[in-house]
Amino acid sequence: MVARLMARRLPHGMRPYVVRAIIRVSVAVALTYCGGAIAAAADDLYRAQTIVTGQGEANRIIGFASCLEDVLLKVSGAVRLAGDRRLAAYKSNAKSFVRAFSYHDQMSGTPTRDEQGTRDRPYDLTVDFEEMKIDDILKALDLKPWRSHRPVLAAFVEMQLGPRDYMITSDGDQSALQRESLLAAAARRGMNVVLPSAAALAKAGITRAAPGTTTSQAWGPVVAGQGGEAALIGRLVWDDRELGWATQWRIDWHGRTHRWQVRGTNFDEAFRRGIGGAAQILSGNGDPA
């Protein structure tokens, strides 16, 4: 039952590949330990990764388009660009903005079977874009690269699935899958994130995130202890009617409290919306929709 609820709404055969891809992405962005928490560092804002089937040009072009949108969001910090109609023309010509690309076979070392040859194997496609060309696109969209310091986010995220209720930590087995997904979302949005250890939460007496009521002062000591510069507080509650997560996010920044909500998504998307919303606020691009 739990496995069904946690499904990512992906074709069944692709789910294990996506999970492994998330783990590789989070490792690839140089996970480090900081004050007992895990930090994900995004070293290259002009690089993105997606999953494609085979190495054929048709799927590669689709991958280029997906990566182009991710890079535009990551470089600018403006998550509101996601799905923007103005991107269609650029995405249709995404190949012209690519500097280099490479593949990684997700099934490397797995024997080739008749129906899973080179053509059908899943690959991680990593794409590097020309910096000046990406900056020019952003200029045309009345945006600019976010080159100033990107504050480290200390993420306090609660998951509630029926009777199960727990916080995502840097070291808890219960939240391992969500931890990898959250760090992958941070890498995708070009943000540095630290997660609290179970011991740090216990010491501070924190058992729930409660983004709508908990004051930012309550998180201060833990944020500082983990090397964070701002607290991103989130709570995800599974909704059986929508077959998705109802999510609340909050961040206090420059004397203002910002709140936003997401409903009916898998937790991968909920985390991208949470990290992306924080990036949009911190980069000066306004509140998330």
Side-chain angles (χ1 to χ4, degrees):
M1 181 65 164
V2 172
R4 178 181 67 82
L5 294 177
M6 298 292 282
R8 302 288 228 280
R9 300 180 185 174
L10 293 169
H12 180 73
M14 289 301 293
R15 288 175 191 160
Y17 307 137
V18 174
V19 171
R20 287 196 293 270
I22 290 172
I23 294 173
R24 278 195 296 274
V25 169
S26 61
V27 172
V29 294
L31 296 183
T32 59
Y33 285 86
C34 179
I38 298 177
D43 295 325
D44 194 336
L45 297 179
Y46 295 83
R47 173 178 295 166
Q49 186 181 85
T50 191
I51 301 170
V52 296
T53 302
Q55 299 187 42
E57 184 176 10
N59 284 339
R60 182 164 61 247
I61 294 301
I62 294 173
F64 284 169
S66 175
C67 286
L68 176 62
E69 179 167 317
D70 273 347
V71 161
L72 289 171
L73 268 64
K74 182 162 62 169
V75 173
S76 66
V79 72
R80 59 187 169 82
L81 270 182
D84 193 311
R85 294 179 181 178
R86 296 176 297 170
L87 299 185
Y90 300 108
K91 292 170 69 173
S92 66
N93 193 35
K95 181 179 179 180
S96 66
F97 307 114
V98 173
R99 178 172 61 81
F101 66 91
S102 62
Y103 288 99
H104 176 267
D105 185 353
Q106 290 192 359
M107 300 178 66
S108 177
T110 303
T112 301
R113 297 185 288 275
D114 290 343
E115 298 301 322
Q116 216 162 37
T118 302
R119 182 187 64 183
D120 298 324
R121 292 167 79 89
Y123 287 84
D124 298 321
L125 173 63
T126 301
V127 185
D128 290 292
F129 290 91
E130 295 280 358
E131 294 186 15
M132 291 185 61
K133 292 182 178 181
I134 295 299
D135 292 353
D136 286 343
I137 294 175
L138 291 177
K139 184 177 181 179
L141 297 171
D142 294 322
L143 293 168
K144 57 185 179 181
W146 180 19
R147 300 195 186 283
S148 59
H149 171 67
R150 298 191 175 204
V152 176
L153 291 175
F156 300 90
V157 183
E158 177 186 2
M159 308 289 298
Q160 183 177 338
L161 177 61
R164 298 176 61 202
D165 193 341
Y166 56 92
M167 299 279 289
I168 300 176
T169 64
S170 64
D171 51 3
D173 293 337
Q174 184 173 220
S175 60
L177 186 59
Q178 291 83 12
R179 176 171 62 248
E180 299 295 349
S181 178
L182 182 61
L183 293 172
R188 189 169 176 177
R189 295 296 178 245
M191 296 298 296
N192 295 326
V193 169
V194 290
L195 295 172
S197 66
L201 290 178
K203 183 178 180 180
I206 296 174
T207 58
R208 303 189 66 184
T213 59
T214 307
T215 63
S216 59
Q217 288 82 359
W219 307 95
V222 184
V223 172
Q226 304 301 125
E229 298 171 79
L232 174 63
I233 306 168
R235 185 167 185 262
L236 283 72
V237 179
W238 179 261
D239 189 325
D240 280 320
R241 294 169 299 179
E242 297 185 359
L243 292 179
W245 296 92
T247 310
Q248 300 177 63
W249 295 101
R250 168 183 171 172
I251 188 170
D252 294 341
W253 188 244
H254 288 171
R256 284 190 56 201
T257 295
H258 305 264
R259 294 187 177 93
W260 63 104
Q261 299 182 359
V262 184
R263 299 192 64 88
T265 68
N266 55 48
F267 63 68
D268 293 314
E269 180 62 20
F271 293 154
R272 286 192 289 269
R273 298 280 194 92
I275 299 292
Q280 182 159 302
I281 292 165
L282 298 174
S283 63
N285 282 298
D287 287 320

